Amino acid sequence: PAWSPDGQFLAFASDRSGDFDLYQMRADGTEVVRLTSSPIATDVQPVYAPDGRSIVYASLREGATHLFQLDLASGADTALTAGESQNRFPAFSPDGTRLAFASNRSGDYELYELELASGELRRLTDSNAQNGSPAYSPDGTQLLFDSNRGGTYDLYRLTLATRGVTPLTRSTAPLLNG
């Protein structure tokens, strides 16, 4: 689930219709509205844009998981990723101009950043590990993420300007710290 920036709404995925679609409801649980409806798609991981006007989500369609942006006013859906790779865990930068996500387009799940206005894509990690669940710092200069690059899943901080990575947790047993 995800909170809208104004705290008035929640977006979530549910299989109440027989397959996973996205829904939105008021924060008190009332006025549930179905946002997506496709019998051939599994729609999950919704995140609101900082301006609250759209939601980006992951959708499994035709064997690949891609990111789509749903305009909440018009209902128009725009594909943000394409190809045969799996793209997951979208996260908006605080200013809404960039989107971080995990993708296996290089083999392992690495982190990428999409410049929404230009469509420019840049790879942020190169660890030959599984990296996921990115979250921007409030000032947009860093990403917090999880990775198994040390043998177990731990939390890491990536400084976007240098792409330097700092471990934040160190697990000695096989744990999931996501």
Side-chain angles (χ1 to χ4, degrees), residues 89-175:
F89 308 116
F92 273 100
S93 62
D95 64 5
T97 62
R98 296 168 288 148
L99 190 74
F101 63 96
S103 177
N104 69 350
R105 63 189 61 217
S106 63
D108 294 309
Y109 278 93
E110 299 291 351
L111 298 182
Y112 291 82
E113 187 176 56
L114 176 65
E115 200 68 47
L116 291 168
S118 68
E120 180 183 340
L121 183 67
R122 73 179 181 142
R123 185 172 172 171
L124 299 176
T125 60
D126 188 7
S127 65
N128 295 318
Q130 304 300 320
N131 302 282
S133 306
Y136 282 92
S137 60
D139 66 3
T141 64
Q142 300 176 79
L143 279 177
L144 182 66
F145 67 100
D146 62 27
S147 177
N148 67 350
R149 62 183 59 209
T152 60
Y153 277 94
D154 281 293
L155 299 178
Y156 293 83
R157 181 180 55 231
L158 175 118
T159 302
L160 291 166
T162 64
R163 295 191 194 159
V165 174
T166 305
L168 298 178
T169 63
R170 226 5 114 200
S171 302
T172 56
L175 299 173

Side-chain angles (χ1 to χ4, degrees), residues 6-109:
D6 64 6
Q8 299 296 309
F9 296 95
L10 303 172
F12 62 98
S14 174
D15 67 350
R16 63 183 65 196
S17 63
D19 65 338
F20 275 93
D21 288 308
L22 297 184
Y23 293 81
Q24 180 175 262
M25 67 180 173
R26 292 209 164 271
D28 65 4
T30 62
E31 299 180 33
V32 178
V33 176
R34 189 174 177 179
L35 299 176
T36 62
S37 177
S38 175
I40 61 166
T42 297
D43 301 333
V44 294
Q45 301 173 347
V47 293
Y48 283 91
D51 65 8
R53 295 180 183 168
S54 65
I55 290 176
V56 168
Y57 64 97
S59 183
L60 174 60
R61 303 176 186 185
E62 300 175 8
T65 303
H66 289 292
L67 302 180
F68 290 83
Q69 189 164 20
L70 174 68
D71 182 281
L72 292 171
S74 69
D77 227 3
T78 304
L80 299 176
T81 60
E84 296 180 17
S85 60
Q86 307 298 321
N87 304 277
R88 299 179 176 153
F89 308 116
F92 273 100
S93 62
D95 64 5
T97 62
R98 296 168 288 148
L99 190 74
F101 63 96
S103 177
N104 69 350
R105 63 189 61 217
S106 63
D108 294 309
Y109 278 93

